[in-house]
Amino acid sequence: MDIRLRSFYNRRVSEPHAAPINATTRYCAVYGCPVKHSASPAMQNAGMGALKLNWRYLAFEVHPDHLRAAIEGAKAMKFIGLNLTVPHKLLALDMVDALDESASTWGAVNTIRFEAQDKSGAWRPLAEFTDASPEQIRSHGFNTDADAVTRSIREDLGIEVARAKILLLGAGGAGRTAALKLAADGAGELFLVNRTPGKVTALADEIGRRFPAVKVTVGYPNANDAVDLMVNATSLGLKADDLVPLDPNWFSLRRAGAVFDMIYRPAETPLLKAARAAGCRVSNGLGMLLYQGAKALELWSGRQPPIEVMREALRKNVYGN
């Protein structure tokens, strides 16, 4: 076989979406600002291909001022669903037509499923309407981040959250969800640090009301106190010139047993590099991305997601071949 033909053939076989887009292709997307770093398209398109769905997953940079219009636009174009990343997860709470219990419980939306009413009036995923073109469509917000973060911490770092002492950096959409989930899972003590004092104080108060057994401190641990785990839920580390999201005058990495950074690109952020040098066990957010994305695909399609196919696609996209 001619080498060029063999290369073309191998590429066609290995790509999950070798068939061309046609008029029946359905779409999903991730909205973020920024979004160029996202590995979600690689993961989701691999999963959709493995399920033999004639779907495509796209990425769009959407400014927060235009988020409502972008959600409504996807609804008008009958998208199957959306994922939301920084900085949209809190904003979307007031922009969707319905909230799943997961979004209400964890206070953020990272997944939207578009739905239509069947003849009985029940709302069903838009993916189930294969032979009809319903006009009345709603957006249904979910949160798939919460379970994903604790599962990834357990699998990648071997840490059980229950009774653990945890330092959490960031109280935005991802940080708020993580803090509430860690508290719900019985963390022994949470230290919350954020650039905006009002936001982190409100979060600490909420945890105190909802999970009174969990000790919550706004700020770093005392000078000689150690923690089992430090979690970075800020966006510091996405850019090459970002600083480490930690004030070394207040906390030394040598006092952390493990460090989990929700950022996955770059694969090793300045924080993880410094943590590794300090002797910490480290993990980036690739596992969290995998599990939240797999759950989103399940919500959209109603089918079991091909976890290993999606994991391999992420690995190749982030770490290379």
Side-chain angles (χ1 to χ4, degrees):
M1 182 184 293
D2 179 88
I3 188 170
R4 289 171 297 177
L5 182 59
R6 183 185 299 115
S7 175
F8 173 77
Y9 174 78
N10 290 338
R11 187 167 64 250
R12 295 275 293 184
V13 169
S14 64
E15 290 174 356
H17 282 303
I21 292 172
N22 57 41
T24 64
T25 303
R26 312 296 295 274
Y27 297 95
C28 299
V30 57
Y31 291 170
C33 188
V35 80
K36 291 181 180 179
H37 68 282
S38 179
S40 289
M43 168 181 66
Q44 294 290 9
N45 282 316
M48 292 169 182
L51 293 178
K52 301 191 183 306
L53 296 168
N54 184 16
W55 295 5
R56 297 295 190 278
Y57 187 98
L58 310 169
F60 296 102
E61 183 150 326
V62 176
H63 189 276
D65 292 347
H66 303 144
L67 179 60
R68 187 182 299 274
I71 292 172
E72 291 301 311
K75 181 199 296 186
M77 292 186 289
K78 297 182 173 60
F79 273 40
I80 294 294
L82 298 172
N83 284 134
L84 303 177
T85 187
V86 177
H88 299 323
K89 298 178 183 184
L90 293 178
L91 296 173
L93 282 168
D94 298 322
M95 296 181 182
V96 293
D97 301 317
L99 282 177
D100 180 69
E101 183 181 359
S102 61
S104 299
T105 297
W106 308 121
V109 172
N110 78 305
T111 298
I112 294 174
R113 183 175 70 192
F114 293 110
E115 302 172 342
Q117 286 183 300
D118 61 19
K119 293 180 180 179
S120 69
W123 290 99
R124 293 164 44 206
L126 203 53
E128 296 182 13
F129 293 80
T130 56
D131 298 322
S133 183
E135 291 302 319
Q136 189 171 359
I137 297 172
R138 75 172 185 178
S139 54
H140 193 169
F142 296 79
N143 187 293
T144 66
D145 277 338
D147 290 336
V149 66
T150 50
R151 180 174 178 179
S152 185
I153 287 170
R154 183 173 61 253
E155 291 185 1
D156 296 342
L157 293 172
I159 292 177
E160 293 295 339
V161 168
R163 296 179 295 280
K165 295 178 68 173
I166 302 170
L167 169 60
L168 176 67
L169 308 177
R176 183 173 186 276
T177 296
L180 293 172
K181 177 61 173 172
L182 292 169
D185 285 1
E189 189 168 3
L190 286 175
F191 299 91
L192 306 179
V193 176
N194 192 65
R195 287 180 300 177
T196 308
K199 185 180 292 186
V200 74
T201 300
L203 177 57
D205 290 344
E206 182 178 359
I207 292 172
R209 291 192 307 271
R210 294 175 60 179
F211 309 102
V214 177
K215 184 178 179 181
V216 184
T217 300
V218 174
Y220 290 101
N222 292 328
N224 296 318
D225 286 351
V227 297
D228 300 299
L229 173 68
M230 187 175 78
V231 177
N232 177 37
T234 77
S235 59
L236 285 175
L238 283 173
K239 299 177 183 176
D241 57 350
D242 277 346
L243 300 175
V244 172
L246 177 73
D247 189 339
N249 295 317
W250 287 98
F251 186 82
S252 168
L253 284 169
R254 296 187 183 280
R255 291 157 52 198
V259 175
F260 180 81
D261 196 330
M262 290 188 183
I263 294 170
Y264 58 85
R265 196 196 302 276
E268 185 173 69
T269 61
L271 173 63
L272 291 185
K273 184 176 181 179
R276 192 187 300 278
C280 305
R281 304 192 310 281
V282 300
S283 175
N284 64 22
L286 205 66
M288 178 181 172
L289 178 68
L290 169 66
Y291 292 124
Q292 66 80 25
K295 183 61 179 179
L297 182 55
E298 181 181 347
L299 287 169
W300 296 328
S301 67
R303 298 168 64 180
Q304 283 296 113
I307 292 285
E308 293 309 316
V309 170
M310 299 170 78
R311 189 195 307 275
E312 181 62 11
L314 277 180
R315 189 194 66 76
K316 289 182 178 179
N317 187 267
V318 174
Y319 297 109
N321 294 326

